[in-house]
Amino acid sequence: MRVEVTINRERYASDVEPRLLLVHLIRDVLRLTGTHIGCDTTHCGACTVLLDGRPVKSCTVFAVQAHGRELMTVEGLEQDGNLHPVQEGFMQEHGLQCGYCTPGMLMTSYAFLRKAKDPTEDEIRLAISGNLCRCTGYVNIVKAIQHAAARLRQGGT
């Protein structure tokens, strides 16, 4: 089947098997390897991408379901050589350790902060509850998102 998608403002087209998962289209076919594959069961969230602005776990979405739609992956966060405030927050607050969950955490955080300008710690923890980190214990991840929220309120993009 022919699948045409826009990823990070760039159009892609590919012929794929109907049962190909979106994460495999992104990583294996289009070679955008920032999105990670963790559990293949939606539990870990390492594969989170934005589909029409909403976070989805790309390990349980068929590539054909994305036909004609817009995706954003972790590669789309940096703009013109500048890190997005969410990326800055994870770097400044040491919100990652091994980094495996980081792409999914970044995409979930990005989508969350588009709606929540001044989130509480509890709101942040609820927002990232579908993304698992087995290394950091979440304290620094929450700090990173708070850091990003503050930067965005100051006019960061």
Side-chain angles (χ1 to χ4, degrees), residues 76-91:
L77 288 174
E78 174 268 330
Q79 296 291 311
D80 300 322
N82 298 309
L83 295 179
H84 185 274
V86 171
Q87 293 171 302
E88 284 180 15
F90 272 72
M91 186 174 68

Side-chain angles (χ1 to χ4, degrees), residues 54-99:
R54 294 185 49 223
V56 297
K57 294 176 179 173
S58 60
C59 73
T60 54
V61 175
F62 290 116
V64 295
Q65 292 175 289
H67 176 71
R69 299 171 77 181
E70 193 162 318
L71 292 163
M72 182 176 178
T73 67
V74 69
E75 289 94 342
L77 288 174
E78 174 268 330
Q79 296 291 311
D80 300 322
N82 298 309
L83 295 179
H84 185 274
V86 171
Q87 293 171 302
E88 284 180 15
F90 272 72
M91 186 174 68
Q92 292 298 319
E93 301 296 336
H94 308 285
L96 59 102
Q97 194 163 1
C98 81

Side-chain angles (χ1 to χ4, degrees), residues 3 5 7-8 12 14 16 20-40 44-49 57-63 66 71-75 99-104:
V3 173
V5 293
I7 303 177
N8 305 327
Y12 295 88
S14 185
V16 302
L20 182 73
L21 294 174
L22 182 58
V23 70
H24 294 298
L25 172 70
I26 294 168
R27 285 185 55 84
D28 303 337
V29 177
L30 303 177
R31 308 302 301 159
L32 296 169
T33 57
T35 302
H36 290 171
I37 301 170
C39 64
D40 271 340
C44 78
C47 65
T48 303
V49 299
K57 294 176 179 173
S58 60
C59 73
T60 54
V61 175
F62 290 116
L71 292 163
M72 182 176 178
T73 67
V74 69
E75 289 94 342
Y100 205 83
C101 70
T102 304

Side-chain angles (χ1 to χ4, degrees), residues 93-119:
E93 301 296 336
H94 308 285
L96 59 102
Q97 194 163 1
C98 81
Y100 205 83
C101 70
T102 304
M105 286 286 185
L106 289 170
M107 298 314 294
T108 297
S109 301
Y110 174 86
F112 171 65
L113 292 176
R114 289 174 53 191
K115 296 179 182 173
K117 302 300 180 201
D118 193 12

